[in-house]
Amino acid sequence: MQPPKAADASDAERRPEEQREQQGPTRKREERESAPRHLVGSTLSTVAEAEQADRVSGDEPLLPARVHRPSDLMRLLVGLLAIVVLLSIAAFAHGTTTGLENDINKGTDQAPDVLIKLAGLVSSIAVLLVPVAFAIERLIKRDGLRIADGVLAAVLAHGVTLATDLWVAKSAPGTIQDALTQPQPGAALTDPVHGYLAPVIAYMTAVGMARRPRWRVVLWVVLLLDAFAMLVGGYTTPFSIVLTVLIGWTVAYGTLYTVGSPNVRPTGQHLMAGLRHVGFRPVTAMRAEDTPDSGDPSDRGRRYLVSLEDGPPLDVTVVDREQQAQGFFYRVWRRLTLRGITQRRSIQSLRQALEQEALLAYAAIAAGANAPKLIATSELGPDAVMLVYEHIGGRSLDALEDVEITDDLVRGAWRQVKALQSRRIAHRRLTGDAILVDRSGTVFVTDLRGGEIAAGDLLLRMDIAQLLTTTGLRVGAERAVATALEVLGPDAVADCLPLLQPIALSRSTRAALRRLARERSQREREAVIAASDAAKLAKAQEAQASVPADRKALRNEKQAEKRAEKRAIDDALDEAREEDLLTQIRRQVLLIRPQAPVEPVRLERIKPRTLLSFIAGAIAAYFLISQVTEADFGAVVEQAEWGWVAAALGFSALSYIAAAMSLLGFVPERVPFVKTVLAQVAGSFVKIVAPPAVGGVALNTRFLQRSGVRPGLAVASVGASQLFGLGCHILLLAAFGYLTGTEKTPSSLTPSRTVIAGLLTVAVLVLVVTAIPFLRKFVVTRVRSLFAGVVPRMLDVVQRPQKLFTGIGGMLLLTILFVMCLDASIRAFSGPDVPQLSYASIAVVFLAGNALGSAAPTPGGMGAVEGALTLGLIAVGLPKEVAAPAVLLYRLMTLWLPVLPGWLCFNHLTRKGAL
């Protein structure tokens, strides 16, 4: 932990080091005793650190000169979304755009021509002079960095306008061109985006004219006058003006977020001046650094411990606009996806944040809770506010050792919650760093900024669930529940059980629960490995002591040894299996209230996967409809060759046998082949309601478990099959891509540029993942957890060549059958004039489309597979009129037609207990 930084009041108040030393040890001892061991979110662990902090002088040196503001990123995304919406309206609402233009033209026909020309002349001159005058005024005041940012934004905006004009003129749909341009004499069209208006808007936004009302009013008047003159004169359209404004605004904020904005956050010197402004006489201010385990420090503001010339020290919280904006997207996501949890606005103004925290501080004390007393509030300029509290000192619950957390301390925390809830005040973040214990053992609740007054029952019950989990992480479920029952009573504790779920807890608590889950899994894995090793050792000792009489006795003995090893591993797994903390808490509460409701309340309004599936499905539907409407399916179906349709159906049916072979090849245990084939057919029904990479894995794992394979080994077998299938997929894609590149020049054996580009892309991605620590750690963790169970299973399979041959052969056969099914679908609609594609080209298209389908979040890869296959076939030379129906036939044979047989097989296997 870094020591706090000190900021002196002023140069006149700074004392030389010699004068400080002359004050003697008494003064130093008093300073050490008055300095807390814990500032809210920070700890002075030793006296040496405190003395070192006392010697630090001057202002905070670590504030960067430029910061990347989340608010700029938010405005950039809003601008991009507005541009997309505007272009969508222009593309699809052609009647609305035409009617709007006609109404404006009728309304402006009566305007005097002299007035229009005068307005155009004045605005065209002023729109250039006003930015120049503002730049001169800023340069005189030595604010050249803002002017540089504005010039950069203007240059980028000009480039974007040129690109947009080129796109509208060459490639945009006719409806967009009509909405953004006006016809001129000589068959010419007006510019879709104004080449000088968008740069001026970008410049105006980037230099920060919004904070200078006079300049802002003047420039907006000039811009509106210029837009009016061009609109009335017939040189533009309303959509063109709106698009120009949006491009300039969006490019400006994109530039500001990329290069950063000048840091105007208040420093320690501003804090000292603000304290003197409200009547205090500060001497020093020590910055409290947030610890890594302090949850979301950006949402709590910066903390300072301020010493005064006369009186006890103060705790001061400084909140600025950047801290208000941080975490915005997370709060918006919680507000959209969770019902009844987020009541306040996702982002507040500084005034609202100040008033809310002050109101909650007063309300908590009025309710009888121990909370820091708010003494004063003040603004620190236009971009920050401060809140001054009485200094409490002490340490947070997270900073205490386990032996220091007594039952009396936990009961004190529950009494504070009871006092808050008696006045219907919800804290909403009762984590360990929000509970403070002073030197006398008194418990305080802090960080009330995110709370709610007049809270509903849901938020109050969530507070109880959160504190149960927080205390359970430190003292265990039994002590946490016992102290809660003693203070709140059984009814209040039992009512929170439906909300005792990870999604209702804070981010730091969820991270702690995930860490404990990984530790439990590691202990269970170690127990299974130890039991397996012990069983193998005992088996080896018994083999040395006894020699079987014949081959049959040897086989029976091996089977008995396998059963004994399986029982030993199951027993070890049962002994090592541990309940998670939330389950332990529920069990402790149910001992007191057996009839308490435990069914979790559904808090999610929408799941992320559902939202992604909906968006991807909408995009896929739009793409398919646009492709289908352009094809003449009546003529195509009349010319279809039904023999190839039957062949495609046969290849699709045979693929389930190949899928069963590819699975059984990685299962050393004996599993019925016919039931495995039926399970693969049942998978065609499951993947309609789940992504293929998820539904198929879950179904095969469940089937193997029901067939007698242990859960861990079943997961490892399916994982080994998936891992080996991924490797085969990549090798086949590279091999067929190479063959595709050598088809046109067989003598040179030169691979295609696409394959080379793909390999280079993969290499770049690998380098990026390796270079970024976060991505490297993420990938290594996932790969290590995968190989922990898969590699031993692969070694078991390698020792049986017949099984390995079955698995590899099944995978190759599965790919061949799907390629032949796609080829048959193409031949069913190919006439004599359509060129025939090679199997290598079809294989490349199939493998690429299948990879996209597995990555897509839509069930069965719907939309992604169709789009990838259609575009791939068109890219290799197949006409669109043939590619679209061929892909639809292929998907009918492999996705939709097997749904009914899959449903029948799924029900049959379920009744037989195989699923």
Side-chain angles (χ1 to χ4, degrees), residues 691-707:
V694 177
V697 169
L699 184 138
N700 287 329
T701 303
R702 178 69 173 175
F703 170 73
L704 293 179
Q705 292 178 10
R706 288 291 187 174
S707 300

Side-chain angles (χ1 to χ4, degrees), residues 239-554:
F239 280 86
S240 176
I241 294 176
V242 176
L243 181 61
T244 300
V245 174
L246 288 176
I247 288 178
W249 191 74
T250 304
V251 171
Y253 283 111
T255 304
L256 290 178
Y257 183 75
T258 302
V259 303
S261 301
N263 195 349
V264 295
R265 297 175 66 177
T267 62
Q269 294 290 345
H270 295 95
L271 171 65
M272 306 296 270
L275 288 172
R276 287 193 294 269
H277 183 69
V278 293
F280 295 102
R281 300 177 64 184
V283 177
T284 57
M286 292 189 295
R287 172 74 182 278
E289 293 291 342
D290 294 290
T291 58
D293 298 329
S294 58
D296 187 8
S298 63
D299 195 37
R300 293 198 302 273
R302 289 180 289 159
R303 310 301 178 89
Y304 293 86
L305 174 66
V306 179
S307 60
L308 305 178
E309 290 185 4
D310 50 351
L314 304 173
D315 286 328
V316 182
T317 300
V318 177
V319 182
D320 55 42
R321 294 187 184 276
E322 297 313 306
Q323 291 166 328
Q324 284 292 101
Q326 288 182 6
F328 168 77
F329 296 104
Y330 174 76
R331 293 194 295 269
V332 168
W333 178 250
R334 296 273 289 184
R335 189 180 184 91
L336 291 176
T337 57
L338 303 184
R339 56 181 71 181
I341 290 183
T342 305
Q343 301 292 336
R344 63 187 178 96
R345 294 174 58 184
S346 299
I347 187 169
Q348 298 174 302
S349 66
L350 288 174
R351 172 63 62 178
Q352 289 172 333
L354 179 67
E355 293 174 350
Q356 180 180 4
E357 186 165 353
L359 176 61
L360 285 164
Y362 293 136
I365 294 177
N370 295 329
K373 183 179 179 181
L374 183 64
I375 301 175
T377 59
S378 178
E379 293 184 350
L380 296 179
D383 298 311
V385 295
M386 71 173 182
L387 299 100
V388 184
Y389 292 93
E390 282 187 352
H391 175 63
I392 298 174
R395 293 178 292 168
S396 69
L397 187 67
D398 287 342
L400 296 175
E401 300 292 338
D402 292 341
V403 295
E404 299 180 88
I405 304 177
T406 62
D407 289 345
D408 290 338
L409 190 151
V410 180
R411 279 191 289 268
W414 283 113
R415 291 191 187 98
Q416 308 316 309
V417 174
K418 183 178 181 180
L420 292 176
Q421 298 206 349
S422 66
R423 298 294 185 268
R424 304 200 69 81
I425 300 174
H427 188 285
R428 300 189 59 191
R429 192 166 53 192
L430 286 169
T431 54
D433 59 330
I435 300 172
L436 200 66
V437 184
D438 67 2
R439 297 179 181 86
S440 64
T442 305
V443 179
F444 289 79
V445 287
T446 62
D447 292 337
L448 289 162
R449 179 181 171 192
E452 296 280 350
I453 61 172
D457 292 336
L458 183 65
L459 293 178
L460 299 180
R461 291 157 61 195
M462 284 178 59
D463 270 0
I464 299 176
Q466 174 65 61
L467 189 56
L468 273 175
T469 309
T470 299
T471 54
L473 288 170
R474 299 304 309 274
V475 302
E478 184 176 355
R479 290 176 59 189
V481 173
T483 52
L485 291 172
E486 184 178 347
V487 177
L488 299 181
D491 293 335
V493 178
D495 288 342
C496 81
L497 290 187
L499 296 170
L500 201 63
Q501 46 185 307
I503 195 173
L505 306 176
S506 66
R507 278 197 283 185
S508 59
T509 305
R510 294 199 301 270
L513 293 176
R514 288 194 296 268
R515 176 178 54 80
L516 293 177
R518 290 193 296 267
E519 294 176 356
R520 286 196 308 271
S521 300
Q522 181 64 26
R523 288 193 294 269
E524 292 177 1
R525 188 180 299 111
E526 293 175 354
V528 170
I529 294 175
S532 177
D533 293 340
K536 291 179 180 179
L537 180 60
K539 179 177 64 176
Q541 293 175 352
E542 293 178 0
Q544 294 177 357
S546 61
V547 179
D550 54 7
R551 183 175 300 177
K552 182 177 180 180
L554 179 62

Side-chain angles (χ1 to χ4, degrees), residues 686-910:
V686 174
K687 68 182 180 182
I688 288 296
V689 295
V694 177
V697 169
L699 184 138
N700 287 329
T701 303
R702 178 69 173 175
F703 170 73
L704 293 179
Q705 292 178 10
R706 288 291 187 174
S707 300
V709 182
R710 292 196 305 272
L713 297 180
V715 173
S717 295
V718 176
S721 175
Q722 294 289 321
L723 183 62
F724 210 95
L726 176 62
C728 289
H729 193 100
I730 295 174
L731 291 176
L732 289 174
L733 183 59
F736 283 116
Y738 185 88
L739 293 176
T740 303
T742 60
E743 285 178 351
K744 296 182 180 180
T745 57
S747 59
S748 61
L749 295 178
T750 303
S752 65
R753 294 183 177 180
T754 305
V755 175
I756 296 176
L759 294 177
L760 292 176
T761 303
V762 172
V764 170
L765 290 177
V766 171
L767 291 176
V768 169
V769 171
T770 307
I772 301 177
F774 171 75
L775 295 177
R776 183 173 64 249
K777 182 179 179 181
F778 178 82
V779 172
V780 169
T781 303
R782 296 300 185 274
V783 172
R784 183 182 298 145
S785 61
L786 175 65
F787 276 82
V790 171
V791 171
R793 198 61 166 169
M794 292 287 293
L795 294 178
D796 293 339
V797 174
V798 170
Q799 296 175 0
R800 302 186 181 188
Q802 183 179 0
K803 283 285 186 179
L804 185 62
F805 177 78
T806 302
I808 298 176
M811 290 179 182
L812 296 177
L813 180 61
L814 182 64
T815 302
I816 293 172
L817 289 173
F818 277 131
V819 171
M820 295 180 69
C821 180
L822 181 58
D823 177 68
S825 301
I826 296 173
R827 293 176 183 272
F829 298 104
S830 297
D833 298 332
V834 178
Q836 295 295 328
L837 301 180
S838 65
Y839 281 104
S841 300
I842 298 175
V844 170
V845 172
F846 161 74
L847 291 171
N850 190 47
L852 290 176
S854 299
T858 55
M862 287 184 290
V865 174
E866 287 84 353
L869 292 180
T870 304
L871 293 177
L873 292 176
I874 294 174
V876 296
L878 195 66
K880 181 191 302 185
E881 294 76 13
V882 178
V887 170
L888 293 180
L889 176 61
Y890 168 77
R891 293 292 280 171
L892 177 66
M893 296 299 178
T894 58
L895 179 66
W896 298 108
L897 204 58
V899 170
L900 180 58
W903 177 72
L904 296 175
C905 293
F906 184 85
N907 289 334
H908 172 74
L909 294 176
T910 302

Side-chain angles (χ1 to χ4, degrees), residues 161 165 191-199 230 235-237 240-241 244:
T161 57
D165 290 343
D191 292 334
V193 182
H194 305 290
Y196 68 91
L197 196 58
M230 290 188 297
Y235 298 107
T236 188
T237 66
S240 176
I241 294 176
T244 300

